[in-house]
Amino acid sequence: MNTRHFDPATELQNSLHTDQVFGVNQSISDSATFTFEDGKQMTDTFNGEHQAFLYSRHWNPTNLELSKALAAMEGTEAAWVTGSGMAAITSTILQICKSGDHIVSSMTTYGGTFAFFKNWLPKYGIEVSFVDITNIEEVTKAIRPNTKMVYTETMTNPLLQISDVPALSTVTKKHQIKLVVDNTFTPMIFSPFKLGADVVVYSMTKFINGKNDTTAGSICASGDFINSLIDLNDGTAMLLGPVLDTFRASSIHKNLFTLHIRMKQHSQNTMFLAKKFKEIGLKVNYAGCKDHPQHEVMGRTMNADFGYGGMISIDLGTKEKASDFMSLMQKRGVGYLAVSLGYFKTLFSNSGSSTSSEVPLKLQAKMGLSEGLVRYSVGLDNDIENTFSVIKSCLIDLKLI
Ligand code: PLP
């Protein structure tokens, strides 16, 4: 399936509506609870026979507005917003799986997700098989009668592999199981639901908010799935309570409307660096390069106009070299030696010893994660040529090129 005609930025812009009382921005709901006209209305609301806000952990007007915007951007019926990306991921998984179930997951995922799969779920009788998500045959073979979902990231952290969502969706539909996709690295660039995923999760801490001032997450899916998550009796989100605060929801909502411009600039800057890094002989991993193993998959499944994204990595061979290089880049103002991504300043980290440190060293080696990998989240620099010159000077002074 080609989604080139799906334009998440325009869908998002069209989701705005006027409010003559509060003005152009949505007002912030400052209430944990809501009033009912009488006892009957309260009973009917709790029975689901009357639609009203009943308690902010369930729904509130501010989170509802942000959720509607996210659903418009993803092409889903509904969405729900959480206090972190991990809250979105864990609520989704625990809603779909119970003790005795099995999950097939990409071997390469964010370290926190990997640790949840490897260390936490088995305590509650849920087993996970880790596979090379780019190998559809391996994914298919790992599915068992008790498998409930295939889990992946559209662009995996930190190897930057690209999942072929339409191909995975064909497999999950055939087996009548769910395909859950984390699209944190590539909002707007990919629309996984349009490509056949059942649930799309985000760490909105990253590109979607883009300001690194809060953690947040979201779950985008069918109306039925979102309603099941907040069911008063057994909804995982309702009962574990990971709801996003309304003040943060309001600020993320405003930042969402510049996301398309930011993604284009992140992509443009990163493509520039990818070409320059190659010219000076570095080992580069960027999905926009023709030699990236899933460059073709990305070209076939990405939306038009937003580029190949802001994530790139280079391999310096050893942890020590990576460490010296990152310290010098920070000293010279390239950006910050920090985990996370999607910020307006460039961030860089050594994945194996930070955001993927939960992955045992043996498995890191098996998945091809070099100890010298430096992962960049490229910022919105206006003068990326100058940024490259500074990076090059760091490499030369440390005798890395
Ligand atoms: N998903 C991906 C791909 C991530 O990189 C991260 C964090 O780095 C998360 C999820 C977790 O998000 P949060 O830190 O907002 O809980």
Side-chain angles (χ1 to χ4, degrees), residues 84-86 89 110 153 157 182 184-185 203 205-206 215-216 341:
S84 73
M86 282 311 292
I89 292 165
Y110 162 59
E153 295 170 354
N157 184 0
D182 180 339
T184 297
F185 277 23
S203 166
T205 314
K206 315 291 163 35
T215 62
L341 50 125

Side-chain angles (χ1 to χ4, degrees), residues 16-316:
L16 284 173
H17 56 83
T18 55
D19 184 328
Q20 297 214 300
V21 178
F22 289 103
V24 294
N25 288 318
Q26 296 299 318
S27 59
I28 303 176
S29 165
D30 197 23
S31 296
T33 195
F34 301 87
T35 56
F36 298 97
E37 267 167 28
D38 50 37
K40 181 174 181 321
Q41 199 186 62
M42 179 185 260
T43 311
D44 288 350
T45 305
F46 274 79
N47 285 342
E49 286 155 18
H50 178 76
Q51 289 282 314
F53 294 109
L54 54 88
Y55 189 59
S56 198
R57 168 156 50 81
H58 180 256
W59 268 128
N60 60 66
T62 314
N63 289 11
L64 183 59
E65 286 305 323
L66 173 58
S67 298
K68 281 183 184 167
L70 289 161
M73 180 176 104
E74 290 305 310
T76 57
E77 281 175 349
W80 201 77
V81 288
T82 56
S84 73
M86 282 311 292
I89 292 165
T90 55
S91 298
T92 299
I93 290 164
L94 295 176
Q95 188 63 31
I96 296 171
C97 298
K98 60 179 185 332
S99 174
D101 288 342
H102 172 250
I103 295 170
V104 175
S105 169
S106 168
M107 194 187 299
T108 326
T109 57
Y110 162 59
T113 308
F114 178 84
F116 182 69
F117 281 149
K118 183 170 167 288
N119 307 328
W120 204 93
L121 286 179
K123 290 194 281 190
Y124 298 88
I126 299 170
E127 225 189 312
V128 183
S129 299
F130 296 99
V131 295
D132 172 359
I133 205 70
T134 65
N135 183 338
I136 301 295
E137 205 184 321
E138 191 179 326
V139 174
T140 310
K141 277 192 185 147
I143 294 173
R144 305 174 186 167
N146 61 339
T147 304
K148 287 288 156 39
M149 72 161 84
V150 170
Y151 184 93
T152 192
E153 295 170 354
T154 340
M155 181 181 280
T156 68
N157 184 0
L159 290 189
L160 313 181
Q161 298 162 309
I162 304 298
S163 297
D164 188 339
V165 177
L168 291 169
S169 167
T170 303
V171 174
T172 53
K173 286 200 166 50
K174 188 170 157 219
H175 288 83
Q176 297 182 319
I177 58 176
K178 300 256 187 247
L179 176 60
V180 178
V181 178
D182 180 339
N183 199 34
T184 297
F185 277 23
T186 46
M188 297 215 163
I189 294 172
F190 285 114
S191 298
F193 184 80
K194 289 290 192 183
L195 294 170
D198 297 287
V199 184
V200 182
V201 289
Y202 279 105
S203 166
M204 299 202 292
T205 314
K206 315 291 163 35
F207 288 103
I208 286 190
N209 186 43
K211 303 293 180 291
N212 250 305
D213 52 7
T214 186
T215 62
S218 59
I219 305 163
C220 304
S222 67
D224 282 350
F225 185 74
I226 299 300
N227 285 336
S228 73
L229 272 173
I230 52 165
D231 185 280
L232 301 188
N233 292 298
D234 72 352
T236 308
M238 184 61 189
L239 300 179
L240 296 186
V243 69
L244 180 63
D245 177 70
T246 57
F247 281 71
R248 286 305 188 185
S250 167
S251 70
I252 294 169
H253 194 191
K254 284 171 280 193
N255 292 337
L256 192 57
F257 289 91
T258 58
L259 178 62
H260 60 302
I261 299 168
R262 290 187 277 117
M263 290 316 292
K264 287 179 194 183
Q265 186 72 27
H266 283 300
S267 293
Q268 204 176 305
N269 283 352
T270 312
M271 185 60 106
F272 179 87
L273 287 184
K275 285 183 181 153
K276 291 289 180 188
F277 285 167
K278 269 181 187 282
E279 274 173 28
I280 57 172
L282 290 175
K283 227 169 147 186
V284 184
N285 184 13
Y286 184 55
C289 296
K290 286 201 172 71
D291 62 356
H292 183 282
Q294 291 89 39
H295 179 71
E296 178 277 327
V297 175
M298 181 144 185
R300 176 163 49 80
T301 54
M302 70 200 287
N303 291 319
D305 297 337
F306 305 103
Y308 287 86
M311 303 303 295
I312 185 171
S313 66
I314 56 172
D315 184 1
L316 296 178

